[in-house]
Amino acid sequence: MAIPTNIKTLLSGNVVEWARIEFKETWDPEASLKTVCAFANDLDNWGGGTLLLV
């Protein structure tokens, strides 16, 4: 499933986190792994999520 927004909107900084998009400022393996696992547990059947390292 595609990202629910386009790349220009993501780069503009006008997107907030929600159930399918999460931003991380740095690569923290533990925190990122928790996010990946949460997206894998797709209880709402939305097709996972998108983790953006910014």
Side-chain angles (χ1 to χ4, degrees), residues 17-35:
E17 291 184 333
W18 64 296
R20 291 199 52 214
I21 299 176
E22 183 160 336
F23 296 96
K24 300 285 185 193
E25 291 183 4
T26 61
W27 172 250
D28 176 10
E30 186 175 336
S32 298
L33 183 58
K34 287 180 182 179
T35 300

Side-chain angles (χ1 to χ4, degrees), residues 1 19-20 35-49:
M1 185 169 279
R20 291 199 52 214
T35 300
V36 169
C37 289
F39 285 154
N41 293 325
D42 188 13
L43 300 176
D44 295 324
N45 199 25
W46 287 347

Side-chain angles (χ1 to χ4, degrees), residues 3-5 7-9 12 14-15 17 21-22 31-32 37-38 41-42 44-45 48 50-51 53:
I3 297 174
T5 188
I7 192 69
K8 287 182 182 180
T9 304
S12 73
N14 293 328
V15 175
E17 291 184 333
I21 299 176
E22 183 160 336
S32 298
C37 289
N41 293 325
D42 188 13
D44 295 324
N45 199 25
T50 303
L51 174 61
L53 301 172

